[in-house]
Amino acid sequence: MSDSGPQKPRTDVVLAIDIGGTKFAAGLVTARGELIDRTRVEVEKNALPEAHFDSLTGIVRQLMTRAREQHHARIRAVGVGSAGPIARNVESVSPVNIPAWREFPLRARLDDLTGHAVYGDLDAKALALAEGWLGAAQGHPNFCAMTVSTGVGGGIVLDGELLDGMTGNAGHIGHVIVEPNGRRCGCGAQGCLEAEASGLAIEAITGRPPTEPTYEIMQRTGTLVGRAAASVCNSLDLSLVVVGGSVALGFAATFFHAAQVSLDEHCKLTYSRGARITPSRLADSGPLIGAGAVGWRGLRRARRGL
Amino acid sequence: MSDSGPQKPRTDVVLAIDIGGTKFAAGLVTARGELIDRTRVEVEKNALPEAHFDSLTGIVRQLMTRAREQHHARIRAVGVGSAGPIARNVESVSPVNIPAWREFPLRARLDDLTGHAVYGDLDAKALALAEGWLGAAQGHPNFCAMTVSTGVGGGIVLDGELLDGMTGNAGHIGHVIVEPNGRRCGCGAQGCLEAEASGLAIEAITGRPPTEPTYEIMQRTGTLVGRAAASVCNSLDLSLVVVGGSVALGFAATFFHAAQVSLDEHCKLTYSRGARITPSRLADSGPLIGAGAVGWRGLRRARRGL
């Protein structure tokens, strides 16, 4: 394969992959976080495991070709953000909404497919990295990022590092207890934030999809998210919470105003007073930039021998 | 000063100091966590700032002499665990129950007094280090340690490191929201764990000191502590919570049983299911061993150039 432009230095990129419940997306993310190309494919509901991997292979090969031929870019690694649960570093993935993939060995398969090192993490944690890199938490070494959509997920950055925890699930704040006598959650517990504020919960509570909310439900959802955020800010010494996800962003100012009022009411410690809750700024580029961030972080860690 | 035993190698120790609300304590802690000597002095309620430091000076000098003359030990550093609030590394301390010390420059004063490097942290975080080193969390890289006594404090260890947070207050789980419509907390918020489960709260709620509890209050306190612990386990991917402090340990099995039931009810995720809440094992040596741990950690970090 001849190099058509030897004078021009190649751009280094991470091949970013977002494994969602309804679609797979792939993109090219530079070391500065620019998403220079992207493509996606819908997930077919009832496909077999290999058929899912075939459609992923399609968009990955497309972008590998475009990286080389159109962008004169060199792929340095593959970065993955995946819907959970996952085993650490996407060694295996079992996305709730892709029933055919149960402990699917994604890392090894992508390694075989691309010939590059593969680094992966949960989608919500990838998004937290993206928010800290280029989004609403840019330059902040301490913050929590949340996604309020069909479910509720999140990631927490402390002292500049995304928290992992014992099995890599730290930051999953959908299961902070916000209503001690509240609804039964999908996880089996009672009163979790996810059981009260997720898109699925809202539909169950109101009988309407979260795209057709009443004023009261937008306000209540904000209040509960603010309450969970306050528990996190008080116990982890944070004062910034970034919230994305279709439900939160769809409920817009009504949601964010109620969340801020609730946060103000519950954050009264010297270090948590004045904590802010603010919308994600990355819109629909967030997941791919996040996957790119996971890839670049993996390369840095590999260089440091971690 | 002649060395009386040149053949015998000297033991390296940290001079550990515990700044509590009612007493100052000092001890000698070896690199293996042995507390080989200790002494203490009551804090006089209405003393002036310098009088407090004079009584601290008394016990510090005592132990420096005993280290040299009785234990043939070499002091490598000073480690401090202090009641909060503090500025990072005890640069200054303002312990709630020592009104004469407001932003008292403890680090510099102890440095002048001892000639050694001084490393300090909050008492509850120091206790968490001690529990991980030699107590009920020994060998666990991920756990939360809590103190339920006059107030409620704590420390969180993730991936083997004690969390600091933006201002050094991470782990302060007394202000996790457990009763949304609960009592007003000393911090100004409503429904904090500390407003429902601390010794002061129990006295205000029941009209009796926490040393004379009813069965119901022991059980209720355990339930609320378990609820807060569940929020922490679910959101930080932990499955071990160590609880000390006079209220929790005084309420004994009734408290711990209720706390475990509550934790079981709220921890249902794959990674949090089976989380355990267990009593501290260090009894009254905990604070000094913790202060020693802070000192040894400081030395390790200094060696690594952090």
Side-chain angles (χ1 to χ4, degrees):
Chain A
M1 227 163 292
S2 75
D3 189 325
S4 62
Q7 284 85 0
K8 194 179 154 205
R10 285 190 168 217
T11 310
D12 283 348
V13 295
V14 159
L15 173 58
I17 296 175
D18 171 36
I19 305 292
T22 58
K23 60 155 187 27
F24 297 147
L28 302 174
V29 177
T30 70
R32 294 167 57 180
E34 293 146 324
L35 179 60
I36 59 172
D37 201 348
R38 66 195 294 177
T39 184
R40 55 187 280 174
V41 59
E42 299 300 310
V43 169
E44 283 183 53
K45 271 249 168 238
N46 302 310
L48 293 171
E50 285 308 315
H52 284 309
F53 193 74
D54 286 347
S55 43
L56 183 58
T57 298
I59 59 171
V60 165
R61 287 213 170 117
Q62 236 181 78
L63 279 187
M64 288 176 76
T65 307
R66 273 144 63 172
R68 198 174 54 235
E69 295 180 358
Q70 290 177 28
H71 304 290
H72 192 65
R74 183 175 59 171
I75 292 171
R76 298 290 312 277
V78 177
V80 182
S82 175
I86 67 171
R88 211 181 269 262
N89 206 28
V90 296
E91 209 53 64
S92 74
V93 302
S94 315
V96 172
N97 294 312
I98 308 179
W101 274 7
R102 285 297 169 266
E103 308 202 354
F104 184 81
L106 187 63
R107 195 202 57 76
R109 296 298 300 274
L110 284 173
D111 184 335
D112 283 352
L113 174 64
T114 65
H116 294 291
V118 178
Y119 304 104
D121 213 328
L122 285 164
D123 51 1
K125 286 168 68 190
L127 258 173
L129 283 181
E131 289 295 340
W133 194 13
L134 297 160
Q138 196 174 2
H140 290 265
N142 297 281
F143 66 94
C144 172
M146 292 174 62
T147 313
V148 183
S149 64
T150 313
V152 176
I156 295 167
V157 173
L158 271 199
D159 306 322
E161 287 289 328
L162 183 67
L163 299 183
D164 282 326
M166 198 166 45
T167 66
N169 282 286
H172 197 7
I173 82 165
H175 302 274
V176 168
I177 310 302
V178 293
E179 282 286 12
N181 301 310
R183 295 181 72 235
R184 186 68 54 187
C185 182
C187 77
Q190 203 180 0
C192 299
L193 178 62
E194 182 160 294
E196 303 284 345
S198 69
L200 286 176
I202 289 167
E203 194 146 356
I205 294 168
T206 63
R208 299 154 61 127
T211 45
E212 298 168 19
T214 60
Y215 180 78
E216 284 66 33
I217 199 72
M218 293 193 284
Q219 210 176 26
R220 175 174 189 272
T221 306
T223 299
L224 294 172
V225 167
R227 189 181 294 164
S231 283
V232 173
C233 288
N234 285 335
S235 59
L236 292 179
D237 192 357
L238 298 176
S239 55
L240 177 62
V241 180
V242 178
V243 183
S246 58
V247 169
L249 298 176
F251 290 2
T254 308
F255 169 92
F256 281 97
H257 178 71
Q260 185 65 59
V261 167
S262 168
L263 198 64
D264 288 346
E265 279 171 6
H266 292 299
C267 285
K268 300 283 194 187
L269 298 163
T270 48
Y271 56 86
S272 64
R273 205 178 294 148
R276 286 184 307 114
I277 194 157
T278 188
S280 157
R281 280 206 207 119
L282 299 171
D284 75 335
S285 306
L288 282 175
I289 293 176
V294 170
W296 285 111
R297 180 185 63 170
L299 283 170
R300 277 196 309 276
R301 288 181 172 173
R303 227 176 276 140
R304 294 204 311 261
L306 294 178
Chain B
M1 224 163 291
S2 74
D3 191 324
S4 61
Q7 285 85 359
K8 195 179 154 203
R10 285 188 170 221
T11 311
D12 283 349
V13 295
V14 159
L15 173 57
I17 296 174
D18 171 36
I19 304 291
T22 58
K23 60 155 186 26
F24 297 146
L28 302 174
V29 177
T30 70
R32 295 166 57 182
E34 293 147 324
L35 179 61
I36 58 172
D37 200 347
R38 66 194 296 177
T39 185
R40 54 187 281 175
V41 59
E42 300 300 310
V43 169
E44 283 182 53
K45 272 249 167 237
N46 301 311
L48 294 171
E50 286 307 316
H52 284 309
F53 194 72
D54 287 346
S55 45
L56 183 58
T57 299
I59 61 171
V60 165
R61 287 211 170 120
Q62 235 180 79
L63 279 187
M64 288 176 75
T65 306
R66 273 145 62 170
R68 198 173 54 234
E69 297 180 358
Q70 291 177 27
H71 303 290
H72 193 65
R74 183 174 58 171
I75 293 170
R76 297 290 312 276
V78 176
V80 182
S82 176
I86 68 171
R88 211 180 270 261
N89 206 27
V90 297
E91 209 54 65
S92 73
V93 302
S94 316
V96 172
N97 292 312
I98 309 180
W101 275 6
R102 283 298 167 268
E103 306 202 355
F104 184 81
L106 188 62
R107 195 203 56 74
R109 296 298 301 273
L110 284 174
D111 185 334
D112 284 351
L113 174 64
T114 65
H116 294 290
V118 178
Y119 304 104
D121 212 327
L122 285 165
D123 49 2
K125 287 167 69 190
L127 257 172
L129 284 182
E131 290 295 340
W133 195 14
L134 297 160
Q138 195 173 2
H140 289 265
N142 298 280
F143 66 94
C144 172
M146 292 174 63
T147 311
V148 183
S149 63
T150 313
V152 176
I156 295 166
V157 172
L158 271 200
D159 305 323
E161 288 288 329
L162 182 68
L163 299 183
D164 282 325
M166 198 167 44
T167 66
N169 282 287
H172 198 7
I173 82 165
H175 302 273
V176 168
I177 310 301
V178 293
E179 281 288 10
N181 300 310
R183 295 181 71 235
R184 186 66 55 186
C185 183
C187 77
Q190 205 180 358
C192 299
L193 178 61
E194 182 160 294
E196 303 285 345
S198 69
L200 286 175
I202 289 168
E203 193 147 356
I205 295 168
T206 63
R208 298 154 62 127
T211 46
E212 298 169 18
T214 60
Y215 181 80
E216 283 67 32
I217 199 73
M218 293 191 286
Q219 209 174 29
R220 176 173 187 271
T221 306
T223 300
L224 295 171
V225 166
R227 189 182 295 163
S231 284
V232 173
C233 288
N234 285 337
S235 59
L236 292 179
D237 191 358
L238 296 176
S239 55
L240 178 62
V241 180
V242 179
V243 183
S246 57
V247 168
L249 299 177
F251 291 2
T254 308
F255 169 92
F256 282 97
H257 178 72
Q260 185 65 57
V261 167
S262 170
L263 198 63
D264 289 346
E265 279 171 8
H266 293 299
C267 285
K268 301 283 194 187
L269 298 162
T270 49
Y271 56 86
S272 64
R273 206 178 294 148
R276 286 184 308 113
I277 192 158
T278 188
S280 156
R281 280 207 208 119
L282 298 172
D284 75 336
S285 306
L288 282 175
I289 293 175
V294 171
W296 285 110
R297 180 185 64 170
L299 282 170
R300 277 196 309 276
R301 287 182 174 173
R303 227 176 275 140
R304 294 205 310 262
L306 294 179

